[in-house]
Amino acid sequence: MNKAYEVVIIGGGPAGVSAGIYTARARLSSLLIEKESIGGLIVNAELVENYPGFPGGISGYDLTQLMEQQATKFGLETLTTEVTGIELNGEQKIVKTNEGDFIAKAVVIASGSERTKLGIPGEKEFTGKGVSYCAICDAVFFTDQTVAVAGGGNAAISEALQLSKYASRVIVIHRRQELRATRILQEKAFAEPKIEFLWNTVVEEIEGEDVVKRLRLRNVGTGEKSSLDVAGIFVSTGFKPNTDYLKRILPLDATGHIITNEKMETEIPGIFAAGDVRSSSIRQVIAAAGDGATAAIYAERFITK
Ligand SMILES: Cc1cc2nc3c(=O)[nH]c(=O)nc-3n(C[C@H](O)[C@H](O)[C@H](O)COP(=O)(O)OP(=O)(O)OC[C@H]3O[C@@H](n4cnc5c(N)ncnc54)[C@H](O)[C@@H]3O)c2cc1C
Protein backbone atom coordinates (compact mmCIF):
# COMPACT_ATOMS: atom_id res chain seq x y z
CA MET A 1 0.00 0.00 0.00
CA ASN A 2 1.16 3.53 -0.73
CA LYS A 3 1.81 5.55 2.40
CA ALA A 4 1.54 9.33 2.21
CA TYR A 5 3.78 11.93 3.87
CA GLU A 6 4.04 15.65 3.54
CA VAL A 7 7.79 15.38 3.01
CA VAL A 8 9.95 12.47 1.90
CA ILE A 9 13.70 12.92 2.24
CA ILE A 10 16.05 10.72 0.21
CA GLY A 11 19.39 10.08 1.94
CA GLY A 12 20.42 10.06 5.58
CA GLY A 13 23.67 12.02 5.48
CA PRO A 14 24.08 15.46 7.10
CA ALA A 15 21.93 17.14 4.42
CA GLY A 16 19.03 14.72 4.72
CA VAL A 17 19.09 14.55 8.51
CA SER A 18 19.25 18.35 8.79
CA ALA A 19 16.27 18.62 6.44
CA GLY A 20 14.49 16.09 8.65
CA ILE A 21 15.19 18.06 11.83
CA TYR A 22 13.56 21.12 10.24
CA THR A 23 10.54 19.41 8.64
CA ALA A 24 9.76 17.20 11.64
CA ARG A 25 10.13 20.15 14.01
CA ALA A 26 7.79 22.11 11.72
CA ARG A 27 5.24 19.34 12.43
CA LEU A 28 5.22 18.10 8.84
CA SER A 29 4.81 14.34 8.55
CA SER A 30 8.27 13.38 7.34
CA LEU A 31 9.94 10.19 6.19
CA LEU A 32 13.67 9.87 5.62
CA ILE A 33 14.71 6.96 3.40
CA GLU A 34 18.31 5.76 3.66
CA LYS A 35 19.66 2.76 1.80
CA GLU A 36 22.47 1.94 4.24
CA SER A 37 22.71 3.40 7.72
CA ILE A 38 22.07 6.97 8.79
CA GLY A 39 25.23 9.07 8.66
CA GLY A 40 26.38 9.32 5.07
CA LEU A 41 29.97 9.85 4.00
CA ILE A 42 31.08 11.70 7.12
CA VAL A 43 31.07 8.47 9.15
CA ASN A 44 34.38 7.85 7.33
CA ALA A 45 36.00 10.86 9.01
CA GLU A 46 37.94 10.00 12.10
CA LEU A 47 37.85 13.58 13.36
CA VAL A 48 35.74 16.49 12.13
CA GLU A 49 37.41 19.71 13.21
CA ASN A 50 35.51 22.22 11.09
CA TYR A 51 31.91 21.80 12.21
CA PRO A 52 30.90 24.51 14.73
CA GLY A 53 30.09 23.57 18.30
CA PHE A 54 32.85 21.02 18.80
CA PRO A 55 36.05 22.92 19.68
CA GLY A 56 37.93 19.68 20.33
CA GLY A 57 36.56 18.09 17.12
CA ILE A 58 34.21 15.13 17.00
CA SER A 59 34.36 11.82 15.17
CA GLY A 60 32.18 11.68 12.06
CA TYR A 61 30.34 8.71 13.50
CA ASP A 62 29.53 10.48 16.79
CA LEU A 63 28.41 13.60 14.92
CA THR A 64 25.92 11.64 12.82
CA GLN A 65 24.63 9.77 15.87
CA LEU A 66 23.86 13.10 17.54
CA MET A 67 22.20 14.42 14.37
CA GLU A 68 20.03 11.31 14.11
CA GLN A 69 18.98 11.52 17.79
CA GLN A 70 18.02 15.15 17.28
CA ALA A 71 15.92 14.39 14.19
CA THR A 72 14.07 11.39 15.61
CA LYS A 73 13.34 13.35 18.81
CA PHE A 74 11.16 15.64 16.71
CA GLY A 75 9.31 12.71 15.13
CA LEU A 76 11.21 12.10 11.91
CA GLU A 77 10.41 8.59 10.64
CA THR A 78 13.22 6.66 9.02
CA LEU A 79 13.21 3.67 6.69
CA THR A 80 16.11 1.60 5.44
CA THR A 81 15.67 0.87 1.76
CA GLU A 82 16.90 2.14 -1.59
CA VAL A 83 15.02 4.74 -3.59
CA THR A 84 14.86 3.57 -7.19
CA GLY A 85 13.07 6.51 -8.78
CA ILE A 86 10.61 9.36 -8.50
CA GLU A 87 7.43 9.68 -10.55
CA LEU A 88 4.95 12.50 -10.78
CA ASN A 89 1.18 12.15 -10.53
CA GLY A 90 -0.18 15.67 -10.90
CA GLU A 91 1.16 17.54 -7.88
CA GLN A 92 1.91 14.31 -6.03
CA LYS A 93 5.40 12.90 -6.01
CA ILE A 94 5.68 9.11 -5.92
CA VAL A 95 8.95 7.98 -4.38
CA LYS A 96 9.65 4.44 -5.61
CA THR A 97 11.61 2.10 -3.34
CA ASN A 98 12.39 -1.57 -2.92
CA GLU A 99 9.82 -1.52 -0.08
CA GLY A 100 7.01 -0.01 -2.14
CA ASP A 101 5.91 3.48 -3.12
CA PHE A 102 5.59 6.55 -0.89
CA ILE A 103 3.49 9.56 -1.82
CA ALA A 104 4.81 13.01 -0.91
CA LYS A 105 3.78 16.62 -1.33
CA ALA A 106 7.44 17.62 -1.33
CA VAL A 107 10.66 15.66 -1.77
CA VAL A 108 14.15 16.60 -0.59
CA ILE A 109 16.85 14.74 -2.51
CA ALA A 110 19.96 14.42 -0.35
CA SER A 111 21.50 11.26 -1.76
CA GLY A 112 25.07 12.61 -1.73
CA SER A 113 27.85 10.92 -3.62
CA GLU A 114 29.92 7.78 -3.59
CA ARG A 115 33.56 7.08 -4.27
CA THR A 116 34.63 6.59 -7.85
CA LYS A 117 36.40 3.35 -8.67
CA LEU A 118 39.82 3.22 -10.33
CA GLY A 119 38.40 0.90 -12.99
CA ILE A 120 41.67 -1.02 -13.35
CA PRO A 121 42.41 -4.75 -13.50
CA GLY A 122 42.37 -6.37 -10.05
CA GLU A 123 40.26 -3.70 -8.36
CA LYS A 124 36.99 -5.61 -8.42
CA GLU A 125 38.62 -8.99 -7.86
CA PHE A 126 40.45 -7.85 -4.70
CA THR A 127 37.76 -5.61 -3.18
CA GLY A 128 37.52 -6.76 0.43
CA LYS A 129 40.79 -8.67 -0.03
CA GLY A 130 43.13 -5.69 0.21
CA VAL A 131 41.24 -3.14 -1.88
CA SER A 132 39.18 -0.86 0.37
CA TYR A 133 37.23 2.39 0.08
CA CYS A 134 37.02 3.14 3.83
CA ALA A 135 40.05 3.52 6.11
CA ILE A 136 38.01 4.00 9.25
CA CYS A 137 36.33 0.63 8.57
CA ASP A 138 39.36 -1.37 7.47
CA ALA A 139 42.60 0.31 8.70
CA VAL A 140 42.96 -2.07 11.64
CA PHE A 141 43.32 -5.05 9.25
CA PHE A 142 46.60 -3.54 8.02
CA THR A 143 48.33 -3.19 11.38
CA ASP A 144 52.14 -3.14 10.93
CA GLN A 145 51.84 -3.57 7.15
CA THR A 146 52.55 -1.37 4.13
CA VAL A 147 49.49 0.12 2.45
CA ALA A 148 48.86 2.58 -0.36
CA VAL A 149 46.29 5.34 -0.70
CA ALA A 150 45.32 6.40 -4.24
CA GLY A 151 44.30 10.06 -4.35
CA GLY A 152 45.39 13.50 -3.16
CA GLY A 153 42.29 15.35 -1.97
CA ASN A 154 40.87 15.90 1.51
CA ALA A 155 39.31 12.46 1.75
CA ALA A 156 42.50 10.71 0.60
CA ILE A 157 44.69 12.53 3.11
CA SER A 158 42.18 11.91 5.92
CA GLU A 159 42.35 8.24 4.99
CA ALA A 160 46.18 8.26 4.99
CA LEU A 161 46.26 9.87 8.46
CA GLN A 162 43.81 7.30 9.78
CA LEU A 163 45.87 4.45 8.28
CA SER A 164 49.11 5.79 9.79
CA LYS A 165 47.78 4.85 13.24
CA TYR A 166 47.92 1.17 12.30
CA ALA A 167 50.10 0.55 9.24
CA SER A 168 53.90 0.63 9.36
CA ARG A 169 54.10 2.59 6.05
CA VAL A 170 51.44 4.52 4.15
CA ILE A 171 52.30 5.45 0.57
CA VAL A 172 50.09 8.11 -0.99
CA ILE A 173 50.02 7.69 -4.76
CA HIS A 174 48.90 10.85 -6.49
CA ARG A 175 48.65 11.61 -10.19
CA ARG A 176 49.73 15.23 -9.69
CA GLN A 177 52.83 16.93 -8.28
CA GLU A 178 50.97 18.45 -5.35
CA LEU A 179 48.04 17.60 -3.12
CA ARG A 180 44.56 19.10 -3.50
CA ALA A 181 43.82 18.65 0.22
CA THR A 182 43.53 21.70 2.47
CA ARG A 183 46.76 23.06 3.97
CA ILE A 184 45.92 21.92 7.49
CA LEU A 185 45.54 18.32 6.29
CA GLN A 186 48.71 18.58 4.18
CA GLU A 187 50.68 19.85 7.19
CA LYS A 188 49.49 16.91 9.27
CA ALA A 189 50.36 14.42 6.52
CA PHE A 190 53.81 15.89 5.83
CA ALA A 191 54.56 15.82 9.58
CA GLU A 192 53.65 12.13 9.88
CA PRO A 193 56.82 10.06 9.39
CA LYS A 194 54.91 6.94 8.35
CA ILE A 195 53.36 8.72 5.34
CA GLU A 196 55.33 8.84 2.07
CA PHE A 197 54.33 10.26 -1.31
CA LEU A 198 54.67 9.02 -4.86
CA TRP A 199 53.97 12.00 -7.10
CA ASN A 200 52.86 12.04 -10.74
CA THR A 201 52.00 8.40 -10.47
CA VAL A 202 48.94 6.31 -11.26
CA VAL A 203 48.06 2.74 -10.35
CA GLU A 204 47.52 0.66 -13.47
CA GLU A 205 46.90 -2.77 -12.00
CA ILE A 206 46.40 -4.46 -8.64
CA GLU A 207 47.97 -7.90 -8.36
CA GLY A 208 47.87 -10.66 -5.79
CA GLU A 209 46.90 -14.23 -5.15
CA ASP A 210 44.19 -14.63 -2.51
CA VAL A 211 44.85 -11.08 -1.34
CA VAL A 212 46.58 -7.98 -2.71
CA LYS A 213 50.37 -8.32 -2.99
CA ARG A 214 51.55 -5.53 -5.28
CA LEU A 215 50.61 -2.58 -7.47
CA ARG A 216 51.73 -1.88 -11.00
CA LEU A 217 52.46 1.84 -11.32
CA ARG A 218 53.18 4.33 -14.09
CA ASN A 219 54.79 7.73 -13.82
CA VAL A 220 52.53 10.04 -15.87
CA GLY A 221 55.42 12.42 -16.64
CA THR A 222 58.13 9.97 -17.77
CA GLY A 223 55.98 6.96 -18.63
CA GLU A 224 58.30 4.83 -16.46
CA LYS A 225 56.66 1.71 -15.04
CA SER A 226 57.36 0.21 -11.63
CA SER A 227 55.86 -2.08 -9.04
CA LEU A 228 55.21 -1.60 -5.33
CA ASP A 229 54.67 -4.38 -2.78
CA VAL A 230 51.71 -3.54 -0.52
CA ALA A 231 49.22 -5.44 1.61
CA GLY A 232 46.37 -3.16 0.62
CA ILE A 233 45.23 -0.12 -1.30
CA PHE A 234 42.66 2.45 -0.20
CA VAL A 235 41.00 4.11 -3.17
CA SER A 236 40.06 7.75 -2.62
CA THR A 237 40.31 9.37 -6.03
CA GLY A 238 37.02 11.21 -6.20
CA PHE A 239 33.27 11.02 -5.88
CA LYS A 240 30.32 10.62 -8.22
CA PRO A 241 26.86 11.90 -7.34
CA ASN A 242 24.17 9.36 -6.49
CA THR A 243 21.75 10.49 -9.17
CA ASP A 244 21.46 7.52 -11.53
CA TYR A 245 17.95 6.85 -10.24
CA LEU A 246 16.88 10.40 -11.23
CA LYS A 247 18.13 10.56 -14.79
CA ARG A 248 14.75 10.36 -16.43
CA ILE A 249 13.05 12.97 -14.23
CA LEU A 250 15.47 15.78 -13.38
CA PRO A 251 17.99 17.68 -15.47
CA LEU A 252 21.54 17.13 -14.19
CA ASP A 253 24.72 19.09 -14.87
CA ALA A 254 27.62 17.67 -16.90
CA THR A 255 28.99 15.83 -13.84
CA GLY A 256 25.62 14.35 -12.89
CA HIS A 257 24.85 16.77 -10.01
CA ILE A 258 21.37 18.26 -9.53
CA ILE A 259 20.91 21.88 -10.53
CA THR A 260 19.09 24.04 -7.97
CA ASN A 261 18.55 27.69 -7.24
CA GLU A 262 19.47 29.32 -3.91
CA LYS A 263 16.24 27.99 -2.36
CA MET A 264 17.37 24.45 -3.20
CA GLU A 265 14.48 24.24 -5.66
CA THR A 266 14.94 22.04 -8.71
CA GLU A 267 13.15 22.55 -11.97
CA ILE A 268 10.17 20.53 -10.66
CA PRO A 269 8.00 22.42 -8.13
CA GLY A 270 8.10 20.62 -4.77
CA ILE A 271 11.32 18.71 -5.48
CA PHE A 272 14.35 20.11 -3.69
CA ALA A 273 17.99 18.98 -3.58
CA ALA A 274 20.54 19.48 -0.80
CA GLY A 275 24.16 18.67 0.02
CA ASP A 276 26.87 16.99 -2.02
CA VAL A 277 24.37 15.81 -4.65
CA ARG A 278 23.78 19.41 -5.66
CA SER A 279 25.67 21.22 -8.39
CA SER A 280 28.24 23.71 -6.97
CA SER A 281 28.14 22.25 -3.45
CA ILE A 282 31.39 22.80 -1.54
CA ARG A 283 31.04 19.20 -0.27
CA GLN A 284 31.38 19.85 3.43
CA VAL A 285 29.13 18.90 6.33
CA ILE A 286 28.35 22.47 7.23
CA ALA A 287 27.18 23.23 3.70
CA ALA A 288 25.17 20.00 3.51
CA ALA A 289 23.45 20.86 6.80
CA GLY A 290 22.74 24.41 5.59
CA ASP A 291 21.35 23.13 2.28
CA GLY A 292 19.15 20.65 4.16
CA ALA A 293 17.74 23.42 6.36
CA THR A 294 17.12 25.69 3.37
CA ALA A 295 15.41 22.91 1.41
CA ALA A 296 13.22 22.05 4.40
CA ILE A 297 12.12 25.63 4.97
CA TYR A 298 11.19 26.12 1.31
CA ALA A 299 9.50 22.69 1.25
CA GLU A 300 7.36 23.81 4.20
CA ARG A 301 6.46 27.05 2.37
CA PHE A 302 5.67 25.07 -0.78
CA ILE A 303 3.32 22.75 1.14
CA THR A 304 1.55 25.42 3.16
CA LYS A 305 1.23 28.05 0.42
C1 LIG B 1 37.08 10.42 4.58
C2 LIG B 1 36.23 11.68 4.54
C3 LIG B 1 36.48 12.71 5.43
C4 LIG B 1 35.68 13.87 5.43
N1 LIG B 1 35.96 14.85 6.34
C5 LIG B 1 35.18 15.95 6.38
C6 LIG B 1 35.41 16.96 7.37
O1 LIG B 1 36.32 16.84 8.21
N2 LIG B 1 34.58 18.04 7.38
C7 LIG B 1 33.57 18.19 6.48
O2 LIG B 1 32.83 19.18 6.57
N3 LIG B 1 33.33 17.26 5.52
C8 LIG B 1 34.12 16.14 5.44
N4 LIG B 1 33.87 15.19 4.49
C9 LIG B 1 32.80 15.46 3.48
C10 LIG B 1 31.41 15.14 4.06
O3 LIG B 1 31.41 13.79 4.49
C11 LIG B 1 30.32 15.37 3.02
O4 LIG B 1 30.39 16.69 2.52
C12 LIG B 1 28.93 15.16 3.63
O5 LIG B 1 28.81 13.87 4.19
C13 LIG B 1 27.84 15.37 2.57
O6 LIG B 1 26.59 15.12 3.17
P1 LIG B 1 25.31 14.73 2.28
O7 LIG B 1 24.23 14.50 3.26
O8 LIG B 1 25.12 15.71 1.21
O9 LIG B 1 25.69 13.37 1.53
P2 LIG B 1 26.22 11.98 2.06
O10 LIG B 1 26.95 12.13 3.34
O11 LIG B 1 26.92 11.35 0.91
O12 LIG B 1 24.88 11.16 2.38
C14 LIG B 1 24.05 10.70 1.36
C15 LIG B 1 23.28 9.49 1.86
O13 LIG B 1 22.31 9.11 0.89
C16 LIG B 1 22.23 7.69 0.81
N5 LIG B 1 21.69 7.32 -0.50
C17 LIG B 1 22.30 7.47 -1.70
N6 LIG B 1 21.50 7.03 -2.69
C18 LIG B 1 20.37 6.60 -2.09
C19 LIG B 1 19.16 6.03 -2.59
N7 LIG B 1 18.97 5.82 -3.90
N8 LIG B 1 18.20 5.67 -1.70
C20 LIG B 1 18.38 5.89 -0.36
N9 LIG B 1 19.51 6.43 0.16
C21 LIG B 1 20.49 6.78 -0.70
C22 LIG B 1 23.67 7.25 1.04
O14 LIG B 1 23.71 5.89 1.51
C23 LIG B 1 24.15 8.26 2.09
O15 LIG B 1 23.97 7.79 3.41
C24 LIG B 1 34.63 14.01 4.48
C25 LIG B 1 34.37 12.97 3.58
C26 LIG B 1 35.15 11.81 3.61
C27 LIG B 1 34.85 10.70 2.63
Side-chain angles (χ1 to χ4, degrees), residues 17 20-21 24 64-76:
V17 175
I21 290 171
T64 58
Q65 292 291 301
L66 292 172
M67 286 183 179
E68 183 181 2
Q69 277 173 30
Q70 198 172 346
T72 49
K73 182 182 98 176
F74 291 119
L76 177 70

Side-chain angles (χ1 to χ4, degrees), residues 259-297:
I259 299 161
T260 66
N261 62 16
E262 74 282 3
K263 297 176 182 171
M264 307 301 139
E265 292 167 331
T266 67
E267 181 170 277
I268 301 175
I271 299 190
F272 301 80
D276 283 14
V277 78
R278 198 170 71 77
S279 193
S280 315
S281 162
I282 56 163
R283 315 207 198 297
Q284 290 287 289
V285 175
I286 190 163
D291 282 3
T294 305
I297 285 170

Side-chain angles (χ1 to χ4, degrees), residues 11 13-15 34-35 40-42 50 83 110-112 275-276 283-285:
E34 164 57 53
K35 68 175 176 178
L41 270 184
I42 197 63
N50 51 10
V83 174
S111 46
D276 283 14
R283 315 207 198 297
Q284 290 287 289
V285 175

Side-chain angles (χ1 to χ4, degrees), residues 30 47 77 123 126 133 222 273 291:
S30 309
L47 188 66
E77 282 182 47
E123 182 179 20
F126 292 111
Y133 300 86
T222 62
D291 282 3

